[in-house]
Amino acid sequence: EPYYVPCLLWIPQYKLNNLFYDFVEGLSLGIMLVPQALSYASLAGLPPSYGLYTACLPVMIYAIFGHSPHLSVGPEALVSIIVGDTLSSSGHFSGATEG
């Protein structure tokens, strides 16, 4: 049902003349989001790959299931600090090295 998967409503009506502008927007989002995600992962004391997961997956999922065009999804500084503090105090994770 299109209500649960909103992209089924807008994809058939998508205008191809917007493709270039959407590509530029996606490129600018990636240029901003990748370094931000890497730094937030290190802020949380996690490997950089975790930051990339938290940056990419919510955006992809929201593109399929999201309703609002004015919503920001992805990692945040406060959440990164809280996660890093919780993981380091619980002993589940120590350090930002992969392996």
Side-chain angles (χ1 to χ4, degrees):
E1 185 170 319
Y3 176 76
Y4 296 111
V5 186
C7 69
L8 295 177
L9 293 173
W10 62 262
I11 287 179
Q13 300 171 1
Y14 185 76
K15 296 182 176 116
L16 287 179
N17 7 346
N18 292 333
L19 189 61
F20 173 75
Y21 301 109
D22 288 340
F23 175 77
V24 171
E25 178 62 29
L27 188 63
S28 63
L29 175 71
I31 288 171
M32 181 197 70
L33 195 59
V34 169
Q36 180 184 11
L38 295 175
S39 63
Y40 284 163
S42 67
L43 184 63
L46 296 170
S49 60
Y50 284 40
L52 293 175
Y53 296 144
T54 61
C56 297
L57 289 178
V59 173
M60 288 186 230
I61 292 171
Y62 192 78
I64 297 170
F65 297 109
H67 287 275
S68 172
H70 308 291
L71 181 68
S72 174
V73 293
E76 297 177 1
L78 181 60
V79 173
S80 299
I81 292 171
I82 292 171
V83 167
D85 187 46
T86 303
L87 290 176
S88 64
S89 67
S90 69
H92 283 90
F93 195 83
S94 59
T97 57
E98 292 192 50

